[in-house]
Amino acid sequence: MGSTILLTGAAGYIGSHTAVALAQAGYDLAIVDNCSNSSPIAVERCRELTGADIPFYQADVADKAALMEIFHQVKPAAVMHFSGYKAVGESVAQPLKYYRNNLDTTLSLLECMVQEGVGAFIFSSSATVYGANATVPYRESDPVGGCTNPYGWTKLMIEQIAQDTAAANPNMSVVLLRYFNPVGAHESGRIGENPAGIPNNLMPYITQVAVGKLDHLNIFGNDYDTPDGTGVRDYIHVVDLAQGHVAALKYAIEHTGAEVFNLGTGRGVSVLELVNAFQTVNGVSVPYEFAPRRAGDLASVWADPAKAREILGWTAEKTVEDMVADSWRWQKNNPDGYV
């Protein structure tokens, strides 16, 4: 086994920012991604930003034979798993697509890891695993389940699969990172969120309205029991999130068993707050209209990040102003994404 960290799905948004953070922290990396929902240009930009010669394998992580061949070449010391479909609405409309892809990629990956004796596994989970019944702030000890969409269920199922695998393999270390709402982009403006088609997430929708690609922003619901009636979320800068993975990797290499961490700021920000901050910081207008609530949306979601601070030594540092400024820089510099 070598010292390389294998990243699946790292041509995507969070994986590419984590690749930059890991390379800058001195780790050797290899990336595998089929680019079904991402661009190989992101990997080129990661190399450019870090000066690192990062090997890139364009393959489907669900294809176990192809993945095993990559394992034999890379001999990874640890694996970070970012591969997965992530659009909540699409998961409701096409549940089988989500269960097939998100579970198959994970099963192939864990089978290769066990077969090759690779111990450390870090997984991109989500606050959606807490379901509709949890109360804010969400703590890792809170009950999970009652997910409101198939996307959330795939994350919860994978958490269970990974925990069971760690229990059966005493040398394994599984770290499950429950993301809250990643936004922002690398401060260089060279990598960022690059959704295909109409964005599913708030920030890229705001930036595409600001750049003139979309006419206006729909804010779903202005009658929630929140300070301004719009939904409240824990927005975390993607660069802070990437640093959380660096801290999680150090922990995973030194420990065995399974551990869960929230990655959030611990502060809720409303949709209107975010829109207004974007307009103020960037001096750009974002026309918006209120629309009915979306089914399954919760009024307020934010993390208690104390466990990650205490055990990983990690804290989110970037402000809402950083988030909106970096998001706009990426969109302005790359109006059509990676082309």
Side-chain angles (χ1 to χ4, degrees):
M1 195 162 63
S3 59
T4 301
I5 315 305
L6 181 64
L7 278 55
T8 73
Y13 175 43
I14 295 165
S16 60
H17 287 81
T18 303
V20 168
L22 287 167
Q24 289 176 335
Y27 291 97
D28 294 325
L29 312 178
I31 291 171
V32 54
D33 196 313
N34 67 357
C35 294
S36 64
N37 196 27
S38 59
S39 171
I41 297 170
V43 180
E44 291 173 22
R45 302 251 180 115
C46 289
R47 292 172 178 149
E48 169 201 309
L49 288 168
T50 61
D53 182 19
I54 303 169
F56 173 48
Y57 300 89
Q58 195 157 339
D60 187 344
V61 179
D63 180 346
K64 189 181 170 186
L67 192 60
M68 187 58 84
E69 182 58 36
I70 292 166
F71 265 68
H72 289 156
Q73 291 183 46
V74 171
K75 298 180 173 57
V79 174
M80 286 193 186
H81 185 28
F82 300 97
S83 293
Y85 295 140
K86 61 176 186 175
V88 169
E90 185 183 54
S91 81
V92 175
Q94 302 182 59
L96 293 177
K97 174 181 176 179
Y98 273 66
Y99 287 115
R100 171 64 73 190
N101 180 75
N102 292 6
L103 295 179
D104 274 6
T105 53
T106 308
L107 291 167
S108 293
L109 196 52
L110 287 170
E111 285 172 352
C112 289
M113 288 181 67
V114 170
Q115 198 169 322
E116 295 300 301
V118 181
F121 178 71
I122 295 159
F123 173 60
S124 301
S125 192
S126 163
T128 55
V129 301
Y130 291 109
N133 303 317
T135 54
V136 290
Y138 292 3
R139 295 179 176 87
E140 293 88 346
S141 55
D142 288 345
V144 292
C147 302
T148 56
N149 54 74
Y151 162 78
W153 280 115
T154 67
K155 293 296 187 185
L156 187 60
M157 289 174 182
I158 292 166
E159 284 197 7
Q160 188 65 54
I161 291 165
Q163 287 169 322
D164 290 345
T165 305
N169 295 274
N171 293 327
M172 274 198 88
S173 175
V174 164
V175 178
L176 308 170
L177 299 176
R178 292 176 181 163
Y179 303 168
F180 279 70
N181 289 68
V183 296
H186 192 269
E187 62 188 15
S188 65
R190 296 295 285 156
I191 56 173
E193 192 166 7
N194 184 41
I198 303 294
N200 293 292
N201 296 332
L202 176 62
M203 186 62 87
Y205 210 108
I206 291 173
T207 63
Q208 289 195 18
V209 170
V211 85
K213 290 187 77 171
L214 297 171
D215 179 59
H216 70 278
L217 170 70
N218 285 316
I219 295 178
F220 297 104
N222 63 342
D223 56 351
Y224 286 108
D225 183 17
T226 61
D228 62 22
T230 64
V232 169
R233 294 293 181 269
D234 189 337
Y235 296 101
I236 175 171
H237 198 295
V238 67
V239 171
D240 278 334
L241 194 67
Q243 292 299 334
H245 289 73
V246 177
L249 177 62
K250 291 174 184 169
Y251 176 87
I253 289 171
E254 294 169 0
H255 293 78
T256 56
E259 204 61 75
V260 180
F261 297 99
N262 287 335
L263 293 186
T265 66
R267 176 176 173 241
V269 175
S270 77
V271 174
L272 268 183
E273 264 187 274
L274 198 66
V275 172
N276 290 334
F278 187 93
Q279 295 184 119
T280 301
V281 168
N282 297 315
V284 185
S285 174
V286 180
Y288 62 83
E289 295 175 6
F290 292 113
R293 296 182 185 188
R294 290 183 301 195
D297 274 357
L298 305 174
S300 298
V301 173
W302 68 84
D304 179 347
K307 184 178 175 184
R309 182 175 66 246
E310 290 161 11
I311 296 177
L312 301 181
W314 170 88
T315 307
E317 296 176 354
K318 291 186 176 284
T319 64
V320 171
E321 289 73 23
D322 295 327
M323 297 174 200
V324 296
D326 292 340
S327 296
W328 179 232
R329 186 182 302 108
W330 154 253
Q331 183 72 75
K332 195 169 49 175
N333 291 351
N334 305 269
D336 299 310
Y338 292 115
V339 290

PDB file of all heavy atoms in Angstrom, residues 18 70 94-95 124 135 141 152 157 167-168 171 177 200 209 217 230 266-267 273 275 278-279 304 311 328-329 332 339:
ATOM      1  N   THR A  18     -11.557  19.932  -2.437  1.00  0.00           N
ATOM      2  CA  THR A  18     -10.828  19.105  -1.476  1.00  0.00           C
ATOM      3  C   THR A  18      -9.500  18.642  -2.066  1.00  0.00           C
ATOM      4  O   THR A  18      -8.483  18.584  -1.358  1.00  0.00           O
ATOM      5  CB  THR A  18     -11.683  17.909  -1.038  1.00  0.00           C
ATOM      6  OG1 THR A  18     -12.914  18.399  -0.483  1.00  0.00           O
ATOM      7  CG2 THR A  18     -10.976  17.067  -0.004  1.00  0.00           C
ATOM      8  N   ILE A  70      -7.518   0.307 -11.124  1.00  0.00           N
ATOM      9  CA  ILE A  70      -7.015   1.593 -10.605  1.00  0.00           C
ATOM     10  C   ILE A  70      -6.371   1.385  -9.231  1.00  0.00           C
ATOM     11  O   ILE A  70      -5.301   1.933  -8.943  1.00  0.00           O
ATOM     12  CB  ILE A  70      -8.154   2.629 -10.560  1.00  0.00           C
ATOM     13  CG1 ILE A  70      -8.595   2.992 -11.981  1.00  0.00           C
ATOM     14  CG2 ILE A  70      -7.735   3.873  -9.793  1.00  0.00           C
ATOM     15  CD1 ILE A  70      -9.917   3.734 -12.065  1.00  0.00           C
ATOM     16  N   GLN A  94     -36.684  10.197 -10.094  1.00  0.00           N
ATOM     17  CA  GLN A  94     -35.963   9.030 -10.621  1.00  0.00           C
ATOM     18  C   GLN A  94     -35.258   8.270  -9.493  1.00  0.00           C
ATOM     19  O   GLN A  94     -34.028   8.199  -9.453  1.00  0.00           O
ATOM     20  CB  GLN A  94     -34.938   9.478 -11.657  1.00  0.00           C
ATOM     21  CG  GLN A  94     -35.524  10.233 -12.833  1.00  0.00           C
ATOM     22  CD  GLN A  94     -34.466  10.619 -13.848  1.00  0.00           C
ATOM     23  OE1 GLN A  94     -33.767   9.767 -14.401  1.00  0.00           O
ATOM     24  NE2 GLN A  94     -34.334  11.893 -14.099  1.00  0.00           N
ATOM     25  N   PRO A  95     -36.038   7.698  -8.579  1.00  0.00           N
ATOM     26  CA  PRO A  95     -35.405   7.060  -7.412  1.00  0.00           C
ATOM     27  C   PRO A  95     -34.471   5.920  -7.771  1.00  0.00           C
ATOM     28  O   PRO A  95     -33.410   5.772  -7.158  1.00  0.00           O
ATOM     29  CB  PRO A  95     -36.596   6.567  -6.580  1.00  0.00           C
ATOM     30  CG  PRO A  95     -37.751   6.507  -7.540  1.00  0.00           C
ATOM     31  CD  PRO A  95     -37.506   7.598  -8.540  1.00  0.00           C
ATOM     32  N   SER A 124     -18.742  11.431   1.826  1.00  0.00           N
ATOM     33  CA  SER A 124     -19.571  12.643   1.739  1.00  0.00           C
ATOM     34  C   SER A 124     -21.003  12.310   2.090  1.00  0.00           C
ATOM     35  O   SER A 124     -21.779  11.928   1.215  1.00  0.00           O
ATOM     36  CB  SER A 124     -19.577  13.183   0.302  1.00  0.00           C
ATOM     37  OG  SER A 124     -18.312  13.500  -0.149  1.00  0.00           O
ATOM     38  N   THR A 135     -34.449  18.328  15.639  1.00  0.00           N
ATOM     39  CA  THR A 135     -34.597  19.738  16.019  1.00  0.00           C
ATOM     40  C   THR A 135     -33.226  20.414  15.963  1.00  0.00           C
ATOM     41  O   THR A 135     -32.198  19.794  16.229  1.00  0.00           O
ATOM     42  CB  THR A 135     -35.163  19.865  17.440  1.00  0.00           C
ATOM     43  OG1 THR A 135     -34.344  19.120  18.348  1.00  0.00           O
ATOM     44  CG2 THR A 135     -36.585  19.320  17.512  1.00  0.00           C
ATOM     45  N   SER A 141     -25.366  12.900  17.637  1.00  0.00           N
ATOM     46  CA  SER A 141     -26.040  11.909  18.488  1.00  0.00           C
ATOM     47  C   SER A 141     -27.547  11.867  18.266  1.00  0.00           C
ATOM     48  O   SER A 141     -28.237  10.994  18.799  1.00  0.00           O
ATOM     49  CB  SER A 141     -25.756  12.217  19.965  1.00  0.00           C
ATOM     50  OG  SER A 141     -26.139  13.550  20.268  1.00  0.00           O
ATOM     51  N   GLY A 152     -31.584  11.491   0.235  1.00  0.00           N
ATOM     52  CA  GLY A 152     -31.264  11.382   1.656  1.00  0.00           C
ATOM     53  C   GLY A 152     -31.190   9.934   2.112  1.00  0.00           C
ATOM     54  O   GLY A 152     -30.298   9.560   2.902  1.00  0.00           O
ATOM     55  N   MET A 157     -28.338   5.007   3.944  1.00  0.00           N
ATOM     56  CA  MET A 157     -28.009   3.598   3.676  1.00  0.00           C
ATOM     57  C   MET A 157     -26.495   3.401   3.568  1.00  0.00           C
ATOM     58  O   MET A 157     -25.946   2.428   4.093  1.00  0.00           O
ATOM     59  CB  MET A 157     -28.692   3.141   2.381  1.00  0.00           C
ATOM     60  CG  MET A 157     -30.193   2.998   2.501  1.00  0.00           C
ATOM     61  SD  MET A 157     -30.937   2.627   0.890  1.00  0.00           S
ATOM     62  CE  MET A 157     -32.669   2.570   1.348  1.00  0.00           C
ATOM     63  N   ALA A 167     -17.241  -2.399  11.237  1.00  0.00           N
ATOM     64  CA  ALA A 167     -17.430  -3.321  12.362  1.00  0.00           C
ATOM     65  C   ALA A 167     -16.898  -4.714  12.032  1.00  0.00           C
ATOM     66  O   ALA A 167     -16.379  -5.419  12.901  1.00  0.00           O
ATOM     67  CB  ALA A 167     -18.910  -3.388  12.725  1.00  0.00           C
ATOM     68  N   ALA A 168     -17.009  -5.103  10.755  1.00  0.00           N
ATOM     69  CA  ALA A 168     -16.562  -6.438  10.341  1.00  0.00           C
ATOM     70  C   ALA A 168     -15.073  -6.489  10.005  1.00  0.00           C
ATOM     71  O   ALA A 168     -14.506  -7.574   9.864  1.00  0.00           O
ATOM     72  CB  ALA A 168     -17.366  -6.891   9.125  1.00  0.00           C
ATOM     73  N   ASN A 171      -9.478  -3.329  11.162  1.00  0.00           N
ATOM     74  CA  ASN A 171      -8.427  -2.389  10.768  1.00  0.00           C
ATOM     75  C   ASN A 171      -8.961  -1.191   9.982  1.00  0.00           C
ATOM     76  O   ASN A 171      -8.185  -0.313   9.606  1.00  0.00           O
ATOM     77  CB  ASN A 171      -7.359  -3.106   9.931  1.00  0.00           C
ATOM     78  CG  ASN A 171      -6.595  -4.127  10.756  1.00  0.00           C
ATOM     79  OD1 ASN A 171      -6.382  -3.926  11.955  1.00  0.00           O
ATOM     80  ND2 ASN A 171      -6.212  -5.232  10.132  1.00  0.00           N
ATOM     81  N   LEU A 177     -18.906  12.287   6.979  1.00  0.00           N
ATOM     82  CA  LEU A 177     -18.981  13.740   7.107  1.00  0.00           C
ATOM     83  C   LEU A 177     -20.347  14.214   6.629  1.00  0.00           C
ATOM     84  O   LEU A 177     -20.679  14.088   5.442  1.00  0.00           O
ATOM     85  CB  LEU A 177     -17.870  14.401   6.286  1.00  0.00           C
ATOM     86  CG  LEU A 177     -16.441  14.032   6.702  1.00  0.00           C
ATOM     87  CD1 LEU A 177     -15.442  14.675   5.761  1.00  0.00           C
ATOM     88  CD2 LEU A 177     -16.159  14.434   8.147  1.00  0.00           C
ATOM     89  N   ASN A 200     -30.027  23.348  -9.081  1.00  0.00           N
ATOM     90  CA  ASN A 200     -30.902  22.868  -8.008  1.00  0.00           C
ATOM     91  C   ASN A 200     -30.634  23.596  -6.695  1.00  0.00           C
ATOM     92  O   ASN A 200     -31.477  23.616  -5.811  1.00  0.00           O
ATOM     93  CB  ASN A 200     -30.696  21.364  -7.791  1.00  0.00           C
ATOM     94  CG  ASN A 200     -31.170  20.550  -8.968  1.00  0.00           C
ATOM     95  OD1 ASN A 200     -32.347  20.479  -9.236  1.00  0.00           O
ATOM     96  ND2 ASN A 200     -30.239  19.953  -9.696  1.00  0.00           N
ATOM     97  N   VAL A 209     -28.643  34.249 -12.116  1.00  0.00           N
ATOM     98  CA  VAL A 209     -29.523  35.413 -12.285  1.00  0.00           C
ATOM     99  C   VAL A 209     -28.659  36.674 -12.379  1.00  0.00           C
ATOM    100  O   VAL A 209     -28.866  37.537 -13.249  1.00  0.00           O
ATOM    101  CB  VAL A 209     -30.538  35.525 -11.120  1.00  0.00           C
ATOM    102  CG1 VAL A 209     -31.286  36.858 -11.179  1.00  0.00           C
ATOM    103  CG2 VAL A 209     -31.529  34.358 -11.153  1.00  0.00           C
ATOM    104  N   LEU A 217     -34.852  34.928  -9.566  1.00  0.00           N
ATOM    105  CA  LEU A 217     -34.767  33.864  -8.568  1.00  0.00           C
ATOM    106  C   LEU A 217     -36.147  33.614  -7.977  1.00  0.00           C
ATOM    107  O   LEU A 217     -36.856  34.562  -7.617  1.00  0.00           O
ATOM    108  CB  LEU A 217     -33.803  34.294  -7.452  1.00  0.00           C
ATOM    109  CG  LEU A 217     -33.741  33.422  -6.195  1.00  0.00           C
ATOM    110  CD1 LEU A 217     -33.092  32.080  -6.499  1.00  0.00           C
ATOM    111  CD2 LEU A 217     -32.979  34.146  -5.088  1.00  0.00           C
ATOM    112  N   THR A 230     -38.478  33.287   5.295  1.00  0.00           N
ATOM    113  CA  THR A 230     -37.835  32.399   4.318  1.00  0.00           C
ATOM    114  C   THR A 230     -37.015  31.335   5.051  1.00  0.00           C
ATOM    115  O   THR A 230     -36.660  31.498   6.213  1.00  0.00           O
ATOM    116  CB  THR A 230     -36.931  33.184   3.343  1.00  0.00           C
ATOM    117  OG1 THR A 230     -35.845  33.800   4.053  1.00  0.00           O
ATOM    118  CG2 THR A 230     -37.723  34.265   2.615  1.00  0.00           C
ATOM    119  N   GLY A 266     -22.695  26.220  12.274  1.00  0.00           N
ATOM    120  CA  GLY A 266     -23.443  26.401  13.516  1.00  0.00           C
ATOM    121  C   GLY A 266     -24.316  27.634  13.509  1.00  0.00           C
ATOM    122  O   GLY A 266     -24.923  27.974  14.518  1.00  0.00           O
ATOM    123  N   ARG A 267     -24.392  28.299  12.367  1.00  0.00           N
ATOM    124  CA  ARG A 267     -25.217  29.508  12.264  1.00  0.00           C
ATOM    125  C   ARG A 267     -26.192  29.375  11.101  1.00  0.00           C
ATOM    126  O   ARG A 267     -25.802  29.025   9.989  1.00  0.00           O
ATOM    127  CB  ARG A 267     -24.335  30.739  12.044  1.00  0.00           C
ATOM    128  CG  ARG A 267     -25.153  31.995  11.827  1.00  0.00           C
ATOM    129  CD  ARG A 267     -24.324  33.270  11.707  1.00  0.00           C
ATOM    130  NE  ARG A 267     -25.217  34.353  11.333  1.00  0.00           N
ATOM    131  CZ  ARG A 267     -25.125  35.062  10.215  1.00  0.00           C
ATOM    132  NH1 ARG A 267     -24.179  34.807   9.349  1.00  0.00           N
ATOM    133  NH2 ARG A 267     -25.994  36.031   9.956  1.00  0.00           N
ATOM    134  N   GLU A 273     -31.523  36.732   3.610  1.00  0.00           N
ATOM    135  CA  GLU A 273     -30.229  37.238   4.109  1.00  0.00           C
ATOM    136  C   GLU A 273     -29.122  36.989   3.091  1.00  0.00           C
ATOM    137  O   GLU A 273     -28.287  37.856   2.832  1.00  0.00           O
ATOM    138  CB  GLU A 273     -29.848  36.520   5.409  1.00  0.00           C
ATOM    139  CG  GLU A 273     -30.193  37.190   6.698  1.00  0.00           C
ATOM    140  CD  GLU A 273     -29.587  36.429   7.874  1.00  0.00           C
ATOM    141  OE1 GLU A 273     -30.221  35.475   8.363  1.00  0.00           O
ATOM    142  OE2 GLU A 273     -28.458  36.774   8.284  1.00  0.00           O
ATOM    143  N   VAL A 275     -29.411  36.407  -0.198  1.00  0.00           N
ATOM    144  CA  VAL A 275     -29.637  37.208  -1.411  1.00  0.00           C
ATOM    145  C   VAL A 275     -29.209  38.657  -1.172  1.00  0.00           C
ATOM    146  O   VAL A 275     -28.520  39.265  -2.006  1.00  0.00           O
ATOM    147  CB  VAL A 275     -31.114  37.131  -1.841  1.00  0.00           C
ATOM    148  CG1 VAL A 275     -31.399  38.110  -2.982  1.00  0.00           C
ATOM    149  CG2 VAL A 275     -31.482  35.715  -2.272  1.00  0.00           C
ATOM    150  N   PHE A 278     -25.464  38.996  -1.023  1.00  0.00           N
ATOM    151  CA  PHE A 278     -24.895  38.896  -2.372  1.00  0.00           C
ATOM    152  C   PHE A 278     -24.997  40.234  -3.093  1.00  0.00           C
ATOM    153  O   PHE A 278     -24.025  40.710  -3.698  1.00  0.00           O
ATOM    154  CB  PHE A 278     -25.621  37.804  -3.173  1.00  0.00           C
ATOM    155  CG  PHE A 278     -24.999  37.527  -4.506  1.00  0.00           C
ATOM    156  CD1 PHE A 278     -24.062  36.523  -4.656  1.00  0.00           C
ATOM    157  CD2 PHE A 278     -25.330  38.292  -5.619  1.00  0.00           C
ATOM    158  CE1 PHE A 278     -23.468  36.279  -5.892  1.00  0.00           C
ATOM    159  CE2 PHE A 278     -24.738  38.056  -6.857  1.00  0.00           C
ATOM    160  CZ  PHE A 278     -23.800  37.042  -6.988  1.00  0.00           C
ATOM    161  N   GLN A 279     -26.179  40.849  -3.024  1.00  0.00           N
ATOM    162  CA  GLN A 279     -26.387  42.123  -3.718  1.00  0.00           C
ATOM    163  C   GLN A 279     -25.504  43.218  -3.129  1.00  0.00           C
ATOM    164  O   GLN A 279     -24.892  44.009  -3.854  1.00  0.00           O
ATOM    165  CB  GLN A 279     -27.865  42.531  -3.643  1.00  0.00           C
ATOM    166  CG  GLN A 279     -28.779  41.562  -4.381  1.00  0.00           C
ATOM    167  CD  GLN A 279     -30.234  42.008  -4.399  1.00  0.00           C
ATOM    168  OE1 GLN A 279     -30.808  42.229  -5.459  1.00  0.00           O
ATOM    169  NE2 GLN A 279     -30.845  42.150  -3.218  1.00  0.00           N
ATOM    170  N   ASP A 304     -24.795  21.709  14.917  1.00  0.00           N
ATOM    171  CA  ASP A 304     -23.930  21.916  16.072  1.00  0.00           C
ATOM    172  C   ASP A 304     -22.577  21.339  15.659  1.00  0.00           C
ATOM    173  O   ASP A 304     -22.426  20.121  15.568  1.00  0.00           O
ATOM    174  CB  ASP A 304     -24.474  21.187  17.300  1.00  0.00           C
ATOM    175  CG  ASP A 304     -23.568  21.363  18.515  1.00  0.00           C
ATOM    176  OD1 ASP A 304     -22.425  21.834  18.338  1.00  0.00           O
ATOM    177  OD2 ASP A 304     -23.984  21.008  19.632  1.00  0.00           O
ATOM    178  N   ILE A 311     -12.757  17.193  18.299  1.00  0.00           N
ATOM    179  CA  ILE A 311     -12.018  15.974  17.937  1.00  0.00           C
ATOM    180  C   ILE A 311     -11.101  16.187  16.737  1.00  0.00           C
ATOM    181  O   ILE A 311      -9.953  15.721  16.719  1.00  0.00           O
ATOM    182  CB  ILE A 311     -12.993  14.803  17.691  1.00  0.00           C
ATOM    183  CG1 ILE A 311     -13.743  14.468  18.997  1.00  0.00           C
ATOM    184  CG2 ILE A 311     -12.255  13.574  17.156  1.00  0.00           C
ATOM    185  CD1 ILE A 311     -14.778  13.377  18.867  1.00  0.00           C
ATOM    186  N   TRP A 328     -19.525  34.837  -6.716  1.00  0.00           N
ATOM    187  CA  TRP A 328     -19.685  35.762  -7.828  1.00  0.00           C
ATOM    188  C   TRP A 328     -18.422  35.822  -8.685  1.00  0.00           C
ATOM    189  O   TRP A 328     -18.486  35.876  -9.918  1.00  0.00           O
ATOM    190  CB  TRP A 328     -20.063  37.135  -7.311  1.00  0.00           C
ATOM    191  CG  TRP A 328     -20.244  38.191  -8.380  1.00  0.00           C
ATOM    192  CD1 TRP A 328     -19.654  39.418  -8.416  1.00  0.00           C
ATOM    193  CD2 TRP A 328     -21.061  38.113  -9.554  1.00  0.00           C
ATOM    194  NE1 TRP A 328     -20.041  40.115  -9.540  1.00  0.00           N
ATOM    195  CE2 TRP A 328     -20.916  39.334 -10.262  1.00  0.00           C
ATOM    196  CE3 TRP A 328     -21.887  37.130 -10.080  1.00  0.00           C
ATOM    197  CZ2 TRP A 328     -21.569  39.599 -11.456  1.00  0.00           C
ATOM    198  CZ3 TRP A 328     -22.544  37.383 -11.285  1.00  0.00           C
ATOM    199  CH2 TRP A 328     -22.385  38.601 -11.951  1.00  0.00           C
ATOM    200  N   ARG A 329     -17.249  35.783  -8.053  1.00  0.00           N
ATOM    201  CA  ARG A 329     -15.995  35.795  -8.817  1.00  0.00           C
ATOM    202  C   ARG A 329     -15.932  34.590  -9.759  1.00  0.00           C
ATOM    203  O   ARG A 329     -15.554  34.716 -10.929  1.00  0.00           O
ATOM    204  CB  ARG A 329     -14.793  35.794  -7.867  1.00  0.00           C
ATOM    205  CG  ARG A 329     -13.452  35.942  -8.595  1.00  0.00           C
ATOM    206  CD  ARG A 329     -12.261  35.896  -7.634  1.00  0.00           C
ATOM    207  NE  ARG A 329     -12.351  36.932  -6.630  1.00  0.00           N
ATOM    208  CZ  ARG A 329     -12.646  36.708  -5.338  1.00  0.00           C
ATOM    209  NH1 ARG A 329     -12.869  35.460  -4.897  1.00  0.00           N
ATOM    210  NH2 ARG A 329     -12.710  37.692  -4.483  1.00  0.00           N
ATOM    211  N   LYS A 332     -18.628  35.080 -12.599  1.00  0.00           N
ATOM    212  CA  LYS A 332     -18.267  36.193 -13.483  1.00  0.00           C
ATOM    213  C   LYS A 332     -17.114  35.797 -14.416  1.00  0.00           C
ATOM    214  O   LYS A 332     -17.108  36.119 -15.600  1.00  0.00           O
ATOM    215  CB  LYS A 332     -17.862  37.376 -12.593  1.00  0.00           C
ATOM    216  CG  LYS A 332     -17.794  38.726 -13.252  1.00  0.00           C
ATOM    217  CD  LYS A 332     -17.646  39.837 -12.214  1.00  0.00           C
ATOM    218  CE  LYS A 332     -16.546  39.533 -11.204  1.00  0.00           C
ATOM    219  NZ  LYS A 332     -16.320  40.650 -10.258  1.00  0.00           N
ATOM    220  N   VAL A 339     -15.517  25.455 -19.805  1.00  0.00           N
ATOM    221  CA  VAL A 339     -15.598  25.300 -21.259  1.00  0.00           C
ATOM    222  C   VAL A 339     -14.211  25.526 -21.855  1.00  0.00           C
ATOM    223  O   VAL A 339     -13.346  26.102 -21.236  1.00  0.00           O
ATOM    224  CB  VAL A 339     -16.597  26.282 -21.909  1.00  0.00           C
ATOM    225  CG1 VAL A 339     -18.022  25.890 -21.546  1.00  0.00           C
ATOM    226  CG2 VAL A 339     -16.308  27.715 -21.507  1.00  0.00           C
TER     227      VAL A 339
END
